[in-house]
Amino acid sequence: DAGITQSPRHKVTETGTPVTLRCHQTENHRYMYWYRQDPGHGLRLIHYSYGVKDTDKGEVSDGYSVSRSKTEDFLLTLESATSSQTSVYFCAISEPNRQGNEQYFGPGTRLTVT
Amino acid sequence: AQSVTQLDSQVPVFEEAPVELRCNYSSSVSVYLFWYVQYPNQGLQLLLKYLSGSTLVKGINGFEAEFNKSQTSFHLRKPSVHISDTAEYFCAVTPTGANNLFFGTGTRLTVIP
């Protein structure tokens, strides 16, 4: 298994509160991604990073921000959580020099916003 | 733009029967194709991938998929399923040279004893 951990694994929070999810990798892969998984939608890309301090938006980035100050850590922040952000969040990593750029996924964080 | 369509949201099948999970994609450029599996309460695990070469790709756990460029399809097959194959399966594409994966909505495979 790729060395990817996510914390916390479960979180319940109230509407309007800030939330930060952490993804940590031990593989030294350059690319890191945040997805959300919702029934009927599959996985949708929120943000991704292609290096330290280099990030870009994905398909569903509104209401989310990210930061990457070290190769191994990629943080996802919900500045003011809303009920529509209740979801399962997955982190993924990839090394673009490998043909196909396959991604490896973490175990996920289940976030409930009440 | 890329899109992925998984035609069946749920597929029930009896144990030891064959199964096919369908995936069609749309893209104006050439793509790499992937199938991932997600077991309950876990992350996604790569089953197999098509990059180039032979259109029949073999993956883990006895699964295989065939890339059909003319029909823009990448269907997943297994000749004989086991109870342990019960999971959700996701088809995904990425344009060659790009880094973003575009996922289908998933197919939940349920193997019935």
Side-chain angles (χ1 to χ4, degrees):
Chain A
D1 289 345
I4 310 169
T5 56
Q6 294 184 230
S7 59
R9 294 292 313 279
H10 302 271
K11 186 169 182 67
V12 180
T13 192
E14 294 184 348
T15 297
T17 59
V19 177
T20 295
L21 308 183
R22 179 179 182 243
C23 176
H24 179 78
Q25 61 146 329
T26 58
E27 305 296 322
N28 201 35
H29 281 17
R30 189 153 60 99
Y31 277 65
M32 298 185 75
Y33 310 80
W34 277 107
Y35 292 90
R36 60 178 290 173
Q37 182 180 25
D38 304 289
H41 290 278
L43 276 80
R44 292 179 292 175
L45 183 65
I46 304 171
H47 282 279
Y48 69 98
S49 169
Y50 48 96
V52 174
K53 296 190 185 339
D54 294 322
T55 65
D56 205 351
K57 295 180 179 180
E59 178 187 1
V60 290
S61 59
D62 288 348
Y64 302 94
S65 63
V66 290
S67 66
R68 191 165 177 204
S69 58
K70 298 185 290 185
T71 299
E72 57 266 35
D73 290 326
F74 192 33
L75 304 181
L76 177 71
T77 298
L78 291 65
E79 300 290 348
S80 177
T82 67
S83 58
S84 64
Q85 293 176 313
T86 292
S87 187
V88 181
Y89 292 85
F90 287 98
C91 175
I93 65 174
S94 71
E95 182 49 59
N97 291 330
R98 294 182 185 170
Q99 191 181 20
N101 193 34
E102 64 190 67
Q103 295 183 15
Y104 302 92
F105 285 80
T109 293
R110 184 174 295 276
L111 177 67
T112 302
V113 183
T114 61
Chain B
Q2 287 71 41
S3 67
V4 180
T5 302
Q6 292 184 244
L7 298 164
D8 305 299
S9 60
Q10 298 189 54
V11 173
V13 62
F14 286 104
E15 192 174 14
E16 297 184 4
V19 70
E20 177 179 83
L21 306 183
R22 296 180 293 171
C23 173
N24 287 88
Y25 69 93
S26 173
S27 178
S28 57
V29 299
S30 59
V31 297
Y32 297 138
L33 296 148
F34 305 83
W35 275 99
Y36 283 85
V37 60
Q38 183 180 32
Y39 299 105
N41 300 313
Q42 294 186 26
L44 278 70
Q45 178 183 357
L46 182 68
L47 264 181
L48 49 78
K49 62 184 178 182
Y50 172 79
L51 306 180
S52 63
S54 172
T55 57
L56 183 63
V57 179
K58 294 190 182 298
I60 62 172
N61 301 338
F63 283 92
E64 63 182 31
E66 186 156 20
F67 170 56
N68 188 317
K69 187 175 182 179
S70 63
Q71 297 186 5
T72 60
S73 67
F74 191 53
H75 301 333
L76 181 70
R77 302 185 182 100
K78 186 170 183 178
S80 175
V81 295
H82 301 136
I83 295 291
S84 59
D85 293 323
T86 293
E88 189 143 23
Y89 292 79
F90 291 94
C91 181
V93 304
T94 184
T96 56
N99 297 294
N100 294 359
L101 271 178
F102 297 88
F103 284 87
T105 52
T107 297
R108 184 171 299 277
L109 174 64
T110 301
V111 180
I112 305 163

